[in-house]
Amino acid sequence: MEHIEPNNQLNLFENNEAMQNVLMEQANEILDTLLDFKAIMMYYSAAIRRLRTKLEILNTEFEVKYQRNPISNIQSRLKSQVSIMEKLNRKGLPITKESIEENIHDIAGVRVICSYVDDIYRLADALVGQDDIELVVKKDYIVNPKPNGYRSLHLIVRLPVYFTDGTHYVTAEIQIRTIAMDFWASLEHQIKYKKKINNPEVVAGKLKQCADIISYTDIMMQNIRKEMDDEQAEDADLAEQLYEKLKRFDVTLGE
Ligand code: 0O2
């Protein structure tokens, strides 16, 4: 074994200690960054919970007033850290707390699935009309579908979330679409990420055709429902009207 003079041993020890300090400082910085990131994600997670509650309350209100749930299902997700990094990289943006908050608007994502197209707009208007919701961007892919046939109403909203250190304003993306539009989008999404597709143009053509059929069906279904609603309103005698009112008492208020 190599013999180290006592003086050199001391140097080595000091060097090791200095090295350890540098590593500890670096680890400290990395942990601070990660904790910053965790705090941001906590704000977005809180925003999702606030939005879900708002949507659930609107759903109950519609049920009490009109005996019909506009919302069939609510899904939500927090964008993964890897996806956030990928998106920033793709856009050539720096990976910092500020850059994330400024440029990525879909970290908090809420998808609302409705039965009918008119419910989508009624719900969107009711939500955006609330005092603490600011509409940042609205993309109406129902009126203006994407060339591939994608239909959905996208809202980027900004809302406050309250913590002990104050109020934080965060953005969230809300996608609102019908059950049929959602069915289409999930298949199209799966196909998009498939590595090998035989005849991609043929598949794209078929998907576009399905999207158009779905859009037609959505409108037909909505018209049938409206006709039924109108008939019911016109024909109901007093006994039926009383029965309809009594049914409202059965609505679960979500307490
Ligand atoms: P994921 O995995 O669903 O989150 P931006 O987000 O603003 O940078 P863009 O394209 O301007 O990008 O936003 P846009 O058009 O509002 O679309 C955002 C999201 O809508 C997508 O998120 C999808 O969820 C959905 N979407 C948009 N176009 C399509 C489509 O053609 N097919 C399907 N199936 N979904 C679509 P991400 O981040 O792409 O993916």
Side-chain angles (χ1 to χ4, degrees):
M1 192 192 277
E2 188 191 355
H3 172 76
I4 302 172
E5 291 299 322
N7 262 354
N8 285 350
Q9 270 182 353
L10 200 63
N11 275 347
L12 208 66
F13 178 73
E14 279 172 359
N15 281 346
N16 264 346
E17 204 177 48
M19 178 80 88
Q20 265 181 11
N21 281 339
V22 169
L23 286 176
M24 297 267 274
E25 268 166 31
Q26 281 177 351
N28 197 29
E29 264 175 42
I30 292 170
L31 284 178
D32 277 348
T33 309
L34 290 176
L35 282 174
D36 265 358
F37 203 81
K38 189 81 188 169
I40 302 180
M41 296 311 267
M42 180 179 70
Y43 303 147
Y44 286 106
S45 158
I48 287 180
R49 277 188 269 169
R50 289 208 66 213
L51 282 172
R52 287 190 75 109
T53 305
K54 281 174 176 293
L55 289 160
E56 280 159 14
I57 290 172
L58 286 172
N59 199 32
T60 309
E61 185 197 343
F62 277 58
E63 198 184 355
V64 170
K65 282 192 179 157
Y66 313 112
Q67 297 112 68
R68 200 169 61 75
N69 288 117
I71 299 177
S72 147
N73 183 20
I74 303 174
Q75 301 155 11
S76 54
R77 67 104 182 89
L78 209 50
K79 205 174 186 71
S80 75
Q81 298 175 17
V82 174
S83 301
I84 296 173
M85 306 294 168
E86 271 173 8
K87 199 161 189 173
L88 285 173
N89 264 334
R90 205 169 53 236
K91 294 185 170 196
L93 295 163
I95 300 177
T96 60
K97 182 172 172 272
E98 292 71 29
S99 168
I100 291 172
E101 286 179 316
E102 214 169 289
N103 301 300
I104 312 285
H105 299 303
D106 65 343
I107 294 177
V110 179
R111 187 171 291 153
V112 189
I113 316 298
C114 294
S115 301
Y116 301 101
V117 179
D118 55 357
D119 286 336
I120 295 177
Y121 292 101
R122 208 173 289 159
L123 206 64
D125 288 347
L127 187 71
V128 166
Q130 298 188 358
D131 289 344
D132 55 351
I133 297 272
E134 179 199 339
L135 179 64
V136 180
V137 179
K138 177 174 168 180
K139 291 185 196 166
D140 192 339
Y141 295 124
I142 299 173
V143 171
N144 303 302
K146 286 201 167 180
N148 61 359
Y150 178 76
R151 284 175 172 81
S152 192
L153 180 69
H154 289 194
L155 308 173
I156 303 286
V157 296
R158 195 161 176 266
L159 71 158
V161 284
Y162 306 101
F163 288 93
T164 49
D165 63 348
T167 306
H168 295 267
Y169 286 85
V170 292
T171 51
E173 184 190 69
I174 307 169
Q175 299 180 353
I176 318 181
R177 54 201 190 210
T178 62
I179 299 168
M181 290 172 193
D182 189 54
F183 180 37
W184 183 94
S186 36
L187 177 63
E188 195 269 351
H189 192 263
Q190 278 173 36
I191 292 174
K192 199 153 53 187
Y193 287 99
K194 245 178 121 81
K195 286 204 177 67
K196 193 178 173 304
I197 304 171
N198 299 326
N199 301 321
E201 294 85 14
V202 176
V203 175
K206 284 182 185 168
L207 272 173
K208 174 73 175 66
Q209 206 182 348
C210 286
D212 294 340
I213 296 169
I214 277 171
S215 167
Y216 176 76
T217 311
D218 267 341
I219 299 297
M220 289 281 282
M221 298 282 281
Q222 177 176 286
N223 289 344
I224 296 169
R225 193 216 71 222
K226 273 187 182 159
E227 278 169 28
M228 303 286 285
D229 284 352
D230 293 347
E231 271 176 30
Q232 201 175 340
E234 276 170 22
D235 300 346
D237 58 23
L238 191 57
E240 277 170 319
Q241 285 179 28
L242 289 178
Y243 178 64
E244 285 305 318
K245 279 187 184 166
L246 277 172
K247 277 204 301 194
R248 295 194 206 173
F249 285 95
D250 282 339
V251 175
T252 312
L253 298 178
E255 63 275 72

